[in-house]
């Protein structure tokens, strides 16, 4: 089985494979129309649109340079197929920014870097930490991404001496952030769905997205809706026994009535049956009043999820039973209710207030 790094570089310059175990394939030719139906520098959609192409047919050859030029509000970056390596940051003043994968297939447009929490800082003052490991950090409100892959290809096997193995593909903090048809690839802490401050309740929406990893690979304190998404848990060669990890680790603020909502989605696995837990609560030292919240409804949970004990506890004193975890009308072997006390279920009336509209309030993302 190829490593994530080999999979991502397979189509370097012309796209990338979907996931860790993606089969080998022939490199695709450089497209004649790198921006597809989205115009070009000579046929620009509007004055706010910039074009990125690694072969020099756009305004820029890398995403970082395009971001630096995309000042103001409401800019769009149309990104041609390619593998773009390097850390990126979308600061708060880039309100309304859109990243658009030009081909419509997220496997073709990949933004990737390879830092971990334990990676030394360049100035020698310590290590990067979890947030510092992120390949992409988004602080701007009203951020949208379509058909883009965000990845972190740092591997434990390459760095056995590291204790800080968190490696974030993207950290999203802005309010009203939306992702459509995007892929998020990593191992530990792949997607950090978070907020700008302890007092902020950022809202995020993910639709038709693919996320993969092993330990807490969807985590943070945002109010986030995952609609028709696919979560994939990975095999680990460094562990001989279960559990390999957890899909979700919400850290919802105690004052926030809405945490993570997963609906019409599925969880699959490359690992043996029952080697993964569905979730565990994260109560960080920065906010001991956090009251993590996760609702999984109308979704298919595959055999990789431990149906008997699907939840775990991260920190002593904050057991999962005291948190806001619930399920409703799920199917699949990982959703079987064998020990009712371990599978808190919503009633039909309770489920009526666990919808995207309830969680997102006056924001209605347009797919």
């Amino acid at each position: 089985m190829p490593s994530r790094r080999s999979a991502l570089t397979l189509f370097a310059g012309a796209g990338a494979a979907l996931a860790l175990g993606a089969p080998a394939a022939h490199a695709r030719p450089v497209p004649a129309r790198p921006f597809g139906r989205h115009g070009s520098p000579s046929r620009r959609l509007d004055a706010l649109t910039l074009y990125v192409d690694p072969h020099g047919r756009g305004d820029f050859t890398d995403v970082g340079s395009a971001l630096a030029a995309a000042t103001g509000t409401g800019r769009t970056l149309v990104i041609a197929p390619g593998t773009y390596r390097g850390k990126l940051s979308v600061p708060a003043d880039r309100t309304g920014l859109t990243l658009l994968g030009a081909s419509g297939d997220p496997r073709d447009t990949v933004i990737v870097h390879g830092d971990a929490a334990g990676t030394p800082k360049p100035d020698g003052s310590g290590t990067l930490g979890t947030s510092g490991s992120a390949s992409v950090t988004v602080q701007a409100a009203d951020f949208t991404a379509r058909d883009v892959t965000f990845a972190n290809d740092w591997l434990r096997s390459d760095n056995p001496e590291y204790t800080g193995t968190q490696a974030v593909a993207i950290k999203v903090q802005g309010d009203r952030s939306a992702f459509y048809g995007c892929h998020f690839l990593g191992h530990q802490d792949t997607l950090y769905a978070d907020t700008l401050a302890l007092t902020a309740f950022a809202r995020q929406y993910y639709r038709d997205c693919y996320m993969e990893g092993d330990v807490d690979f969807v985590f943070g304190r945002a109010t986030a809706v995952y609609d028709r998404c696919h979560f994939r848990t990975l095999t680990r060669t460094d562990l001989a026994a279960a559990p390999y990890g957890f899909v979700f680790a919400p850290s919802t603020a105690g004052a926030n009535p809405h945490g993570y909502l997963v609906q019409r989605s599925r969880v699959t696995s490359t690992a043996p049956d029952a080697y993964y837990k569905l979730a565990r609560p994260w109560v960080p030292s920065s906010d001991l009043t956090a009251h993590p919240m996760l609702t999984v409804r109308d979704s298919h949970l595959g055999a990789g999820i431990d149906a008997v004990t699907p939840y775990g506890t991260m920190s002593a004193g904050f057991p999962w039973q005291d948190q806001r975890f619930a399920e409703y009308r799920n199917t699949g072997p990982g959703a079987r209710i064998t020990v009712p006390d371990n599978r808190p279920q919503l009633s039909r009336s309770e489920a009526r207030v666990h919808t995207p509209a309830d969680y997102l309030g006056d924001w209605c993302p347009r797919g």
Side-chain angles (χ1 to χ4, degrees), residues 93-161:
D93 62 0
R94 300 298 199 270
T95 305
L97 179 72
T98 296
L99 302 187
L100 182 61
S103 76
D105 186 337
R107 294 172 295 182
D108 292 337
T109 302
V110 180
I111 298 173
V112 59
H113 199 64
D115 281 337
T119 300
K121 292 181 179 179
D123 62 5
S125 61
T127 57
L128 292 176
T130 299
S131 293
S133 74
S135 299
V136 178
T137 301
V138 178
Q139 296 184 321
D142 297 302
F143 175 85
T144 301
R146 296 179 184 271
D147 304 319
V148 176
T149 289
F150 301 93
N152 189 318
D153 63 357
W154 184 91
L155 298 172
R156 297 185 188 95
S157 58
D158 291 348
N159 303 275
E161 75 282 6

Side-chain angles (χ1 to χ4, degrees), residues 273-278 302-311 333-334 343:
D273 291 357
Y275 265 52
Y276 272 89
K277 308 291 187 184
L278 186 60
I305 296 300
D306 179 358
V308 178
T309 55
Y311 301 105
R343 308 301 300 248

Side-chain angles (χ1 to χ4, degrees), residues 274-363:
Y275 265 52
Y276 272 89
K277 308 291 187 184
L278 186 60
R280 62 178 177 174
W282 177 32
V283 179
S285 59
S286 59
D287 182 15
L288 296 179
T289 66
H291 194 193
M293 181 179 184
L294 167 70
T295 298
V296 181
R297 60 171 300 169
D298 301 299
S299 296
H300 183 88
L301 307 182
I305 296 300
D306 179 358
V308 178
T309 55
Y311 301 105
T313 293
M314 184 181 298
S315 303
F318 302 99
W320 74 264
Q321 293 90 342
D322 292 346
Q323 313 309 322
R324 295 176 284 177
F325 285 2
E327 303 176 47
Y328 180 68
R329 219 164 50 184
N330 295 318
T331 59
R336 285 187 299 110
I337 301 175
T338 57
V339 181
D341 286 347
N342 290 345
R343 308 301 300 248
Q345 302 291 311
L346 296 174
S347 67
R348 181 180 297 181
S349 61
E350 289 171 333
R352 291 193 186 104
V353 296
H354 290 268
T355 68
D358 289 297
Y359 278 55
L360 301 178
D362 61 1
W363 175 48

